[in-house]
Amino acid sequence: MPRVVVDVMLKPEILDPQGQAVANALPRLGVSDVASVRIGRRIEIEFAGEPDLDQAREIADKLLANPVIEDFTVRLVEADETAGARS
Amino acid sequence: MPRVVVDVMLKPEILDPQGQAVANALPRLGVSDVASVRIGRRIEIEFAGEPDLDQAREIADKLLANPVIEDFTVRLVEADETAGARS
Amino acid sequence: MPRVVVDVMLKPEILDPQGQAVANALPRLGVSDVASVRIGRRIEIEFAGEPDLDQAREIADKLLANPVIEDFTVRLVEADETAGARS
Amino acid sequence: MPRVVVDVMLKPEILDPQGQAVANALPRLGVSDVASVRIGRRIEIEFAGEPDLDQAREIADKLLANPVIEDFTVRLVEADETAGARS
């Protein structure tokens, strides 16, 4: 069953200190060629029936993201992007 | 330039109260056919040079996810999935 | 007006990779004597009338924390702990 | 051993959709007199030696909060505010 995925990220011009913390911690793992790390939210919405992208967009706009500081995308995802491919 | 995206979600058997809160708030938006909402994290990693999935996987395992309670996936994403399609 | 504050932290035995990332980033700031960093959530609940700790506890238990992996505390806080003392 | 607690909240004028989602979900729990819910982060920093508030403030400013959209407070907390009083 496909589900709707909403990805919410801080707008590019907004500083992300948590991502910065991860980036700054990388040299201790021996990783030196990462230019940036940004941390956002991923929300998976499962509909009882047919997934409804318009409704998902309204949910994102009202309850999941703050449009002043965040961008979001809404898309259909086949089950295997989510559960299937997980480590 | 492609970037690496790490999606981190609570394991399916772990309760997600924040997702539950969103699900419970939906009837007030007139949305009644959502079966579940799960909230995780999406991390975008940009490499200075060639994206390195193995390194990204190690970063995820050490600094982004707790494998006891969370699953993660690591994948290459073309720029247009992220910035391009945003509302 | 007092408000209710709910603090939610991962249980001590649950690994916190985001806190770990911050801890690992500290040497680059010249900070070397931090033993651990743990990142949780702080929720401020304002009641229209008298703050109700029992209700706040139920809200925390149902919508804010996952008791299997997280601990929470609920307490009354005078306004000056929150807005007043901020930088 | 006292620890340093950093509380990070979105500035009051910044919309908090996650808090809004919790607030909107409350009527289903039978709770009707909550005026607002705001969700932030609580970070507990343990020092190996004496807690250092100035260092904690610098850590918060660089790695924990985004001063453009968030306020933070830094304070010493006795152990019993944290672990002791937990449910």
Side-chain angles (χ1 to χ4, degrees), chain B residues 12-34:
Chain B
E13 68 270 22
I14 306 267
L15 191 74
D16 171 13
Q18 294 185 283
Q20 195 56 46
V22 172
N24 287 356
L26 295 180
R28 291 190 98 190
L29 292 185
V31 175
S32 59
D33 60 337
V34 164

Side-chain angles (χ1 to χ4, degrees), chain C residues 20-57:
Chain C
Q20 195 54 46
V22 172
N24 287 356
L26 295 180
R28 294 192 96 189
L29 292 185
V31 175
S32 58
D33 61 337
V34 163
S36 91
V37 177
R38 307 274 294 174
I39 301 181
R41 292 191 301 287
R42 171 192 169 96
I43 300 100
E44 298 182 357
I45 303 176
E46 249 176 307
F47 284 82
E50 209 54 42
D52 183 330
L53 282 176
D54 284 339
Q55 270 194 344
R57 220 167 273 125

Side-chain angles (χ1 to χ4, degrees), chain C residues 7 9 33-38 40-44 46-48 55 71-73 75 81 86-87, chain D residues 7 9 33-38 40-48 55 71-73 75 81 86-87:
Chain C
D7 290 317
M9 302 298 294
D33 61 337
V34 163
S36 91
V37 177
R38 307 274 294 174
R41 292 191 301 287
R42 171 192 169 96
I43 300 100
E44 298 182 357
E46 249 176 307
F47 284 82
Q55 270 194 344
D71 290 321
F72 66 86
T73 60
R75 61 201 164 92
E81 181 195 312
R86 265 174 204 156
S87 336
Chain D
D7 290 317
M9 302 298 293
D33 60 338
V34 164
S36 91
V37 177
R38 305 275 295 174
R41 291 190 302 286
R42 172 191 169 95
I43 300 99
E44 298 182 358
I45 303 176
E46 249 174 309
F47 284 82
Q55 271 194 343
D71 290 321
F72 67 85
T73 59
R75 61 204 164 91
E81 181 195 313
R86 264 170 206 162
S87 335

Side-chain angles (χ1 to χ4, degrees), chain D:
Chain D
M1 183 77 177
R3 66 186 73 187
V4 175
V5 168
V6 180
D7 290 317
V8 181
M9 302 298 293
L10 281 172
K11 284 178 190 289
E13 67 271 22
I14 306 267
L15 191 75
D16 171 13
Q18 294 185 283
Q20 194 56 46
V22 172
N24 287 355
L26 295 181
R28 291 191 97 190
L29 292 186
V31 175
S32 59
D33 60 338
V34 164
S36 91
V37 177
R38 305 275 295 174
I39 300 181
R41 291 190 302 286
R42 172 191 169 95
I43 300 99
E44 298 182 358
I45 303 176
E46 249 174 309
F47 284 82
E50 208 55 42
D52 183 329
L53 281 177
D54 284 340
Q55 271 194 343
R57 220 166 273 125
E58 201 199 336
I59 296 169
D61 193 54
K62 296 273 174 53
L63 297 178
L64 300 175
N66 177 344
V68 175
I69 53 173
E70 294 169 325
D71 290 321
F72 67 85
T73 59
V74 175
R75 61 204 164 91
L76 275 183
V77 171
E78 296 304 315
D80 61 349
E81 181 195 313
T82 56
R86 264 170 206 162
S87 335

Side-chain angles (χ1 to χ4, degrees), chain A residues 29-59:
Chain A
L29 292 185
V31 175
S32 59
D33 60 337
V34 164
S36 91
V37 177
R38 306 274 294 172
I39 301 181
R41 292 191 299 287
R42 172 193 169 94
I43 299 100
E44 297 181 358
I45 303 176
E46 249 175 309
F47 283 82
E50 208 54 41
D52 183 329
L53 281 177
D54 285 339
Q55 271 194 342
R57 219 167 274 122
E58 200 200 336
I59 296 169

Side-chain angles (χ1 to χ4, degrees), chain A residues 9-16 38 69-71, chain B residues 83 86:
Chain A
M9 301 298 292
L10 280 172
K11 284 177 190 288
E13 67 271 20
I14 307 267
L15 190 75
D16 172 12
R38 306 274 294 172
I69 55 174
E70 295 169 325
D71 290 323
Chain B
R86 264 172 206 162

